Amino acid sequence: LISVSWSGINLNAQIQYRVMLISNTVQNDITSCEKRHTFSHLYPGVNEINTYEKRHTFSHLYPGVKYTLTVEMTSCKQKKVISKMITTAARVYNAEAYIQELFLPSYENTCRPEFKSMSAKFRKEIEKNLPKEFQAYIKSKTMRLVINAIRKGSVIVVFDIVTALDVPSNTSSIQKSFLNALQKSTLAVDLKRTHIVEANACLQGTDSCSANATCSTEGASYTCACLEGFTDLSPAVPGRDCYVTIPGGTTSPSTAPSST
């Protein structure tokens, strides 16, 4: 879940706020594949509420997803918008599966029907052969399979396995379960060339740590910590909102959302 609160000068109970949480997946689809209207009833990756409160919690979110959080308000006939990037916590495993079949050039375009069809087939074959508990995690949104690309050679499916931090699995069980699922599938997978490894978010630059924080890898996840001389404004999620410490307080925007 993501809990967000905001504060500022001259905010009163008569101000209504429009709060939107949009996943990057939706944003990428809109800009690179199709023109869509981004309403929550049309696309489930958009969460939108109108409220007079200065706090809201979004729940039932997928792990390891980058979101754009936007708070919009109108005061004295002036519209103000503040936003920030937020990533839900997760363990991430990078994987590549080598499938011995004819490669289609259209697989390289994630917007093409051929890519979407192959991705759906790959995901279905894996999910139906996973252990029952893993299938339950996927159904409850605490585990997901992300197809990043399909490359030539014969067919190489580049994908991530993403789990919530509270999923009781380790690297060994993830590797064993997914490799067994690939072996049982109808896909002609070359298991000798297929691999699943812990992602290094700090090295890959996919972490959500502040520029004023350190990033430390912990297995398939990571932790952040504000540098010395900086104050953490969101200690519930350390190292994401780090501002330089000054006498009498900390520097921060006049209206800033904080999240957990």
Side-chain angles (χ1 to χ4, degrees):
L1 58 80
I2 291 177
S3 294
V4 58
S5 61
W6 53 95
S7 60
I9 301 172
N10 297 326
L11 299 185
N12 56 62
Q14 281 69 50
I15 296 178
Q16 186 178 55
Y17 306 93
R18 182 185 183 211
V19 187
M20 293 185 67
L21 189 69
I22 308 177
S23 74
N24 278 16
T25 301
V26 174
Q27 292 174 329
N28 291 338
D29 284 348
I30 293 168
T31 57
S32 64
C33 291
E34 303 174 32
K35 298 296 182 182
R36 303 177 191 261
H37 293 292
T38 57
F39 296 111
S40 57
H41 65 283
L42 294 177
Y43 208 94
V46 179
N47 294 272
E48 178 181 347
I49 63 103
N50 292 292
T51 179
Y52 289 98
E53 302 293 330
K54 292 189 282 294
R55 174 180 292 275
H56 184 71
T57 298
F58 294 98
S59 57
H60 304 294
L61 303 174
Y62 282 108
V65 173
K66 288 187 177 181
Y67 291 91
T68 298
L69 173 69
T70 301
V71 179
E72 181 182 295
M73 67 192 118
T74 301
S75 178
C76 299
K77 298 183 179 179
Q78 291 185 338
K79 181 184 288 186
K80 297 181 181 180
V81 178
I82 52 176
S83 64
K84 70 179 297 182
M85 298 295 297
I86 297 174
T87 304
T88 48
R91 294 189 185 93
V92 182
Y93 304 85
N94 299 145
E96 288 187 357
Y98 284 71
I99 303 174
Q100 302 173 72
E101 68 172 65
L102 179 66
F103 178 82
L104 301 178
S106 52
Y107 284 161
E108 294 181 313
N109 187 335
T110 58
C111 296
R112 292 291 298 272
E114 293 84 356
F115 173 89
K116 295 179 180 180
S117 177
M118 182 60 183
S119 297
K121 177 183 177 182
F122 183 81
R123 183 178 287 105
K124 181 179 180 180
E125 284 293 322
I126 288 182
E127 291 180 1
K128 75 178 183 181
N129 289 297
L130 284 171
K132 296 296 183 183
E133 62 268 27
F134 278 42
Q135 293 177 5
Y137 298 149
I138 291 173
K139 187 175 181 180
S140 66
K141 297 185 179 183
T142 56
M143 178 181 287
R144 63 192 185 97
L145 194 65
V146 182
I147 313 299
N148 298 314
I150 301 177
R151 301 200 308 257
K152 187 175 182 179
S154 303
V155 172
I156 305 173
V157 180
V158 182
F159 64 103
D160 290 337
I161 302 161
V162 186
T163 76
L165 297 181
D166 57 356
V167 168
S169 62
N170 54 35
T171 300
S172 178
S173 65
I174 290 287
Q175 291 171 330
K176 181 179 179 180
S177 297
F178 277 84
L179 289 174
N180 283 344
L182 285 167
Q183 186 176 32
K184 293 178 182 178
S185 73
T186 60
L187 302 169
V189 178
D190 184 350
L191 291 178
K192 292 182 179 179
R193 301 173 68 191
T194 296
H195 63 268
I196 300 170
V197 297
E198 295 174 343
N200 188 326
C202 300
L203 184 63
Q204 296 170 354
T206 55
D207 62 273
S208 60
C209 298
S210 165
N212 301 316
T214 59
C215 179
S216 302
T217 301
E218 292 192 356
S221 189
Y222 62 91
T223 58
C224 309
C226 292
L227 296 170
E228 185 177 352
F230 291 83
T231 298
D232 199 329
L233 298 187
S234 298
V237 188
R240 271 66 171 186
D241 294 303
C242 304
Y243 289 87
V244 66
T245 303
I246 59 174
T250 60
T251 59
S252 62
S254 59
T255 306
S258 61
S259 61
T260 59

